[in-house]
């Protein structure tokens, strides 16, 4: 009882006089009102970031990014203890006796789906067993169009999961699946991008993982009865904020060549009927021979309206909150916070993570961008017909350009 009272008094004292986190507009916190604090983690190569957190044990200041701690995501009732022996032991004792275990937002807390589970099974044989790759259907909204047309907008996010909770989002793919009234369907991958930060256990593992995810989606739509699927062939604005221009360009070239590799391999293996380059700068993949009719399987996955539904919202959330993917540690922190917003919600112009008076973010009633009604009307007028293409007996898939690696490797 005396120990419990001591813990309660200690917790109350800390809560009253301590300022848990600080954002100081480029300046670091001071020690005893004089010297600027130095983060022990990045002492030799200081990070340029003004988000700080104080250890509840030794009162040392740390960059939130260096220790992957954020008061909004972990909860204000969770105290932070650094990894020095004394603080770690004290923190473990108090967490076991009086404090709930800290809740690290991870990809495992995102709802599972039939599509995500299928892609996880496809990528598992080529990914690390100690850091498995989890694919989650981060957003899914169904739109009813004219003439019985139904459009499903989906966003797939791939994470490299670790037991410590420092998940890393490594790939984002935006998809639009159009189902016609007669049961035929066409899928369009509107945008796909990677950040090149996957932590490999051997050379070439990253390419195998990303190849498996893209090919897994191709297999999924083929088994579901889709008539065709299109992929973008040109690079666009990156889906991950903070990448240097040269790195973003290299990542775009890498992704484009990877898509061409997957399509060429799928054509040679007989998974797809043909691959044709379209004038508007995309690849049309004919899954079945012309004239072959197949009714698409019913949709199994539930709807989820999150910030990941729209490419604009996905990027705006990163820019507004300064979530960056220019280095591995920053990317892990940003991934942690994006997962938190996927679970709890996000709204534009919300108070920053470091605002003391800001309450938890409110889940907005609408965070995704609805497809325009004109696009649905065009799909209805287009009908179930598949674009006619000329099929040749030889491999008509485009040659993949020489692979370009990332210009900057993570620390």
């Amino acid at each position: 009882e005396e120990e419990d009272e001591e813990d309660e008094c200690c917790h109350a004292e800390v809560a009253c006089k301590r300022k848990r986190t600080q954002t100081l507009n480029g300046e670091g916190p001071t020690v005893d009102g004089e010297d600027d604090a130095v983060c022990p983690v990045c002492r030799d190569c200081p990070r340029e970031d003004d988000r700080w957190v104080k250890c509840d044990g030794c009162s040392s200041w740390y960059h939130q990014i260096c220790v992957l701690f954020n008061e909004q995501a972990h909860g204000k009732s969770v105290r932070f203890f650094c990894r020095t022996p004394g603080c770690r032991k004290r923190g473990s004792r108090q967490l076991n006796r009086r404090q709930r275990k800290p809740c690290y937002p991870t990809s495992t807390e995102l709802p599972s789906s039939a599509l995500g589970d299928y892609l996880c099974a496809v990528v598992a044989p080529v990914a690390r067993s100690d850091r498995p790759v989890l694919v989650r259907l981060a957003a899914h909204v169904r739109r009813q169009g004219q003439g019985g047309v139904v459009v499903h907008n989906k966003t797939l996010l791939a994470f490299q999961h670790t037991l410590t909770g420092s998940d890393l989002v490594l790939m984002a793919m935006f998809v639009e699946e159009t189902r016609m009234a007669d049961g035929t369907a066409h899928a369009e991958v509107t945008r796909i991008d990677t950040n090149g930060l996957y932590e490999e256990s051997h050379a070439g593992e990253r390419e195998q993982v990303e190849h498996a995810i893209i090919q897994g989606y191709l297999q999924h739509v083929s088994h579901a009865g889709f008539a065709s699927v299109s992929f973008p062939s040109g690079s666009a604005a990156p889906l991950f904020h903070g990448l240097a221009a040269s790195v973003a360009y290299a990542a775009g070239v890498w992704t484009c060549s990877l898509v061409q590799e997957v399509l060429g391999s799928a054509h040679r293996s007989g998974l797809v009927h043909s691959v044709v380059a379209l004038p508007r700068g995309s690849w049309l993949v004919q899954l079945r021979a012309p004239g072959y009719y197949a009714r698409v399987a019913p949709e199994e996955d539930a709807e989820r309206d999150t910030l990941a539904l729209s490419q604009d919202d996905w990027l705006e959330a990163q820019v507004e909150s300064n979530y960056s993917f220019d280095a591995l540690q920053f990317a892990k922190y940003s991934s942690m916070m994006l997962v938190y917003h996927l679970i709890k919600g996000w709204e534009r112009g919300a108070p920053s993570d470091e605002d003391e008076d800001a309450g938890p973010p409110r889940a907005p009633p609408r965070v995704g961008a609805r497809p325009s009604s004109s696009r649905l009307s065009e799909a209805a007028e287009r009908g179930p017909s598949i674009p006619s293409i000329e099929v040749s007996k030889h491999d008509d898939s485009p040659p993949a350009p020489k692979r370009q690696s990332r210009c900057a490797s993570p620390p």
Side-chain angles (χ1 to χ4, degrees):
E1 292 179 359
E2 291 178 359
E3 291 178 349
D4 291 345
E5 291 177 0
E6 180 182 356
D7 285 343
E8 291 176 358
C9 292
C10 177
H11 180 71
E13 181 181 358
V14 170
C16 290
K17 70 179 183 179
R18 180 175 54 83
K19 192 172 184 179
R20 289 190 60 94
T21 57
Q22 289 188 7
T23 302
L24 301 174
N25 299 322
E27 299 180 0
T30 58
V31 180
D32 297 329
E34 298 179 0
D35 300 331
D36 291 339
V38 178
C39 177
V41 176
C42 60
R43 185 187 304 274
D44 297 333
C45 184
R47 300 186 189 276
E48 295 182 1
D49 195 80
D50 57 3
R51 290 168 287 195
W52 295 80
V53 61
K54 181 189 288 186
C55 174
D56 281 311
C58 63
S59 298
S60 297
W61 285 96
Y62 288 82
H63 289 121
Q64 296 182 27
I65 289 176
C66 291
V67 294
L68 295 179
F69 183 90
N70 181 274
E71 190 173 60
Q72 183 185 34
H74 289 72
K76 292 189 176 182
S77 62
V78 176
R79 289 185 277 176
F80 167 69
F81 292 93
C82 66
R83 302 300 293 173
T84 56
C87 295
R88 181 170 52 187
K89 181 177 180 181
R90 179 184 174 189
S92 176
R93 183 176 70 251
Q94 292 187 355
L95 286 174
N96 291 335
R97 290 210 323 244
R98 299 295 302 170
Q99 192 86 358
R100 65 179 176 85
K101 186 177 180 180
C103 178
Y104 296 91
T106 66
S107 56
T108 58
E109 300 176 43
L110 296 173
S112 60
S113 63
L115 175 55
D117 293 343
Y118 177 80
L119 295 179
C120 287
V122 171
V123 76
V126 298
R128 295 176 58 171
S129 57
D130 59 332
R131 297 187 179 186
V133 172
L134 302 180
V135 183
R136 291 291 183 259
L137 185 60
H140 174 208
V141 171
R142 177 182 182 273
R143 310 293 183 201
Q144 186 71 44
Q146 298 178 358
V149 176
V150 179
V151 178
H152 293 264
N153 292 95
K154 300 179 179 180
T155 302
L156 293 164
L157 298 178
F159 298 86
Q160 188 174 26
H161 176 65
T162 62
L163 296 178
T164 59
S166 55
D167 284 7
L168 170 70
V169 55
L170 58 102
M171 175 184 280
M173 184 161 63
F174 290 80
V175 178
E176 183 176 284
E177 298 175 353
T178 304
R179 297 167 180 255
M180 312 307 297
D182 64 350
T184 58
H186 169 77
E188 179 184 0
V189 179
T190 58
R191 187 75 179 91
I192 181 172
D193 195 17
T194 63
N195 53 39
L197 294 175
Y198 178 86
E199 297 182 88
E200 299 178 320
S201 60
H202 61 270
E205 182 181 346
R206 172 200 165 192
E207 180 179 356
Q208 294 175 349
V209 167
E210 296 171 354
H211 187 286
I213 295 173
I214 299 174
Q215 184 169 341
Y217 180 75
L218 199 58
Q219 294 172 348
H220 166 76
V221 293
S222 178
H223 297 161
F226 280 69
S228 59
V229 57
S230 60
F231 287 85
S233 62
S235 59
L239 294 175
F240 297 97
H241 173 63
L243 296 178
S246 59
V247 176
Y249 175 78
V253 173
W254 169 283
T255 303
C256 291
S257 62
L258 183 65
V259 169
Q260 294 179 38
E261 253 183 41
V262 173
L263 298 183
S265 175
H267 185 232
R268 290 189 294 269
S269 65
L271 176 63
V272 304
H273 181 69
S274 63
V275 181
V276 174
L278 298 180
R280 65 176 184 268
S282 61
W283 300 110
L284 176 64
V285 182
Q286 189 91 352
L287 299 175
R288 290 166 179 79
Y292 182 87
Y293 177 82
R295 181 172 290 274
V296 70
E299 178 62 48
E300 299 179 359
D301 295 324
E303 296 187 55
R304 295 193 69 236
D305 191 353
T306 69
L307 67 93
L309 180 63
S310 162
Q311 299 178 38
D312 292 337
D313 287 343
W314 171 252
L315 277 172
E316 185 178 343
Q318 299 176 49
V319 174
E320 186 178 278
S321 302
N322 195 24
Y323 300 150
S324 176
F325 289 84
D326 61 340
L328 182 60
Q329 192 69 13
F330 279 82
K332 288 184 176 182
Y333 178 86
S334 302
S335 299
M336 177 185 73
M337 296 307 302
L338 288 171
V339 169
Y340 171 80
H341 290 304
L342 287 171
I343 297 173
K344 298 295 185 180
W346 171 81
E347 58 182 345
R348 297 180 183 84
S352 64
D353 298 341
E354 293 76 24
D355 190 346
E356 279 189 293
D357 300 328
R362 300 184 300 276
R366 179 70 213 152
V367 294
R370 294 178 178 270
S372 63
S373 57
S374 60
R375 188 166 191 174
L376 294 175
S377 301
E378 291 175 3
E381 295 174 359
R382 190 165 58 239
S385 61
I386 300 173
S388 59
I389 58 175
E390 183 177 345
V391 180
S392 58
K393 294 183 180 180
H394 59 81
D395 183 6
D396 56 0
S397 57
K402 185 178 180 181
R403 176 83 59 187
Q404 295 190 25
S405 60
R406 235 181 112 77
C407 298
S409 57

